[in-house]
Amino acid sequence: MKAIKVTEPFHLNLVEVPDPEIKDSHDVILKILSGGICGSDIQIWNGTNSLATYPRIIGHEFGGVVVETGSDVHSVKPGDLAAVDPVLSCGSCYACRIGRPNVCVSLKVMGVHCDGGFSQYVCVPESNVHKFFKNFPAPLLSLVEPYTIGAQVNSRASISKDDCVFIMGSGPIGLTVLQTAKNLGAQVIISDLLPQRLKSARSMGADETLLASDPLFLQRLYSFSGQDGVPVVVDTVCTPASLEEAVSFASPAGKIVCLGLKNQPSAIAMSEITKKELTLVGSRLSNRRFDEVIRHFEAGDYTPDQLITHQIHYSQIQEAFELLIKHPELTLKVGLTFE
C-alpha cells in the first residue's frame, strides 16, 4: 500500500509499505478515507518538532471505514465509519491510573512517536477506534481529532455559560476551541494576525474578533471582557511571548490555558501569577473526548466543514504542504482524501 513518510527533515515521500495485518485479537484494520494536515506535521517535516522520531509515516488526524477486526473486537464491525484517537498509553503509570492517559509517562502519538494514519490502511487497537452512528461525509472524519483538542481545552479551563473567553489565534485549533466554548454558552472574543482567519471565526460563532495589529487592541479587548482583564485566556499562538501576554491579559482569579510545546522559556515574573492568583494549566492532546465530539458532529452542534479550505488527494502531498507553508492566509485545514 501507499503511505506518506518523512524519512528525515525536509524529505517527504510517497512510499510503498506492507499492508497491515491483524496481530492481536483486539486489532482493527481501517481503510483510510480522509486525513488532516496539522501544524505539527509541518514541524516534523522541517525538523522543528522535538518529539518526533524518523523515519515516520505521519498523520494523527485521520478516519476511515472498518474493513477487518480481531476475534475479540465487539465495538465496531466491517463497514462502520470511524475516527481514530492517535494517543497510545501504557495504562499503568500515575497519569494513566488517575484517568489522564493523554499525559502518560510513556505516551506515544501515532504519526509522531510511531507510524501514523497517512496511509491507505492502518491497524490500531479497538480502544482507539471511535464509531459514527450516522452516515457522515468522509472528508469530515479526520476533523474529530482537532475538535477533541478544543474539547480538552474547554474541559481544562472548566468553561461554562458564565465565562468570557479570549482565544489568542484563530487557526484550526483556535476555531475548535471557539465552537466548543460557544456550544457551552460562553462569550468568546478571538484574535489573529490575518483578517481572513478572523472572517472565518466570525462565521463560526465568535462574538467579537480582534486584529492583532489593531492600535486599539487592548481597549477593545477590555471593553469586551471587563476592565479588570479576561476571565479565561486560551493561548493557541504558542510562543514564549504569547504566554507572557496571556498572563498580562488575564483578570485577577482568571484562568489561562497553554497548548505550546516549545522548549524556549517565557519571561514571566512569579508575582504576576501570585498577585492575581491565576490558574495556569496545560492542555495536551485530548483525554477520551472522541465519542463526545462525534455526538456533537452528528447532532450538528459544530460546523467542521467550515474548517476545510482545501481538499487534496494524498498522492499530491508535496503540493498540499507547499500550499500550507506558502499561503497561510488562504488556508485553515488542508484535508487529504484517500479514496
Side-chain angles (χ1 to χ4, degrees):
M1 68 173 180
K2 298 292 186 183
I4 297 168
K5 179 177 284 190
V6 178
T7 53
E8 59 182 327
F10 300 105
H11 287 79
L12 176 71
N13 299 292
L14 191 62
V15 299
E16 191 74 30
V17 297
D19 289 350
E21 298 178 352
I22 298 288
K23 295 181 179 179
D24 182 275
S25 63
H26 290 282
D27 282 348
V28 176
I29 294 178
L30 297 97
K31 174 181 169 59
I32 300 305
L33 299 179
S34 66
I37 302 174
C38 177
S40 62
D41 295 316
I42 301 293
Q43 291 165 358
I44 294 171
W45 169 77
N46 66 22
T48 61
N49 188 321
S50 61
L51 303 177
T53 56
Y54 303 88
R56 181 64 55 228
I57 295 174
I58 59 172
H60 60 271
E61 301 175 9
F62 59 99
V65 59
V66 175
V67 295
E68 187 179 353
T69 62
S71 58
D72 289 323
V73 172
H74 303 294
S75 62
V76 293
K77 63 184 184 304
D80 286 342
L81 292 176
V84 177
D85 185 345
V87 173
L88 302 171
S89 52
C90 74
S92 60
C93 71
Y94 170 72
C96 287
R97 293 198 308 273
I98 65 169
R100 295 174 65 179
N102 56 310
V103 288
C104 168
V105 69
S106 304
L107 179 73
K108 291 184 179 180
V109 179
M110 297 180 66
V112 182
H113 308 92
C114 57
D115 285 342
F118 285 179
S119 55
Q120 291 178 296
Y121 296 88
V122 68
C123 182
V124 294
E126 176 186 12
S127 58
N128 290 70
V129 180
H130 296 269
K131 175 182 175 179
F132 278 78
F133 292 89
K134 297 180 180 179
N135 193 25
F136 213 75
L140 304 184
L141 302 179
S142 62
L143 293 181
V144 175
E145 196 279 340
Y147 269 88
T148 67
I149 307 302
Q152 181 72 8
V153 166
N154 278 262
S155 174
R156 293 289 288 150
S158 301
I159 290 172
S160 71
K161 64 180 178 63
D162 298 320
D163 277 320
C164 174
V165 181
F166 174 40
I167 302 170
M168 301 168 64
S170 58
I173 295 305
L175 295 176
T176 68
V177 176
L178 160 68
Q179 288 212 311
T180 308
K182 289 301 301 177
N183 189 63
L184 292 168
Q187 294 292 302
V188 181
I189 185 169
I190 191 168
S191 67
D192 205 89
L193 291 166
L194 300 174
Q196 298 91 331
R197 290 196 167 182
L198 294 179
K199 181 178 180 181
S200 297
R202 285 190 291 271
S203 71
M204 294 179 75
D207 296 291
E208 183 64 272
T209 60
L210 278 175
L211 192 64
S213 60
D214 187 342
L216 299 178
F217 179 94
L218 286 176
Q219 179 180 324
R220 292 184 59 203
L221 175 62
Y222 295 138
S223 175
F224 181 85
S225 64
Q227 295 303 316
D228 54 351
V230 188
V232 182
V233 183
V234 179
D235 177 16
T236 76
V237 177
C238 304
T239 66
S242 65
L243 185 58
E244 295 164 18
E245 291 174 335
V247 170
S248 71
F249 296 150
S251 68
K255 294 176 282 190
I256 300 168
V257 185
C258 170
L259 286 81
L261 285 171
K262 287 184 169 60
N263 292 325
Q264 302 100 310
S266 295
I268 299 172
M270 66 180 74
S271 61
E272 293 302 305
I273 297 173
T274 305
K275 285 189 300 183
K276 295 182 183 179
E277 202 174 50
L278 299 177
T279 300
L280 176 57
V281 299
S283 184
R284 187 178 185 190
L285 302 164
S286 75
N287 184 8
R288 299 167 179 163
R289 304 279 171 198
F290 273 71
D291 292 335
E292 167 191 337
V293 169
I294 288 171
R295 288 196 300 271
H296 285 299
F297 272 27
E298 293 184 329
D301 296 329
Y302 305 148
T303 56
D305 55 296
Q306 289 186 269
L307 271 190
I308 300 181
T309 51
H310 300 79
Q311 291 188 49
I312 298 175
H313 193 261
Y314 76 94
S315 62
Q316 305 301 310
I317 186 62
Q318 301 280 1
E319 290 84 346
F321 266 49
E322 287 180 13
L323 178 63
L324 278 163
I325 294 164
K326 294 180 179 179
H327 297 288
E329 78 283 1
L330 302 178
T331 58
L332 284 172
K333 182 62 65 178
V334 173
L336 298 176
T337 62
F338 285 80
E339 296 183 274

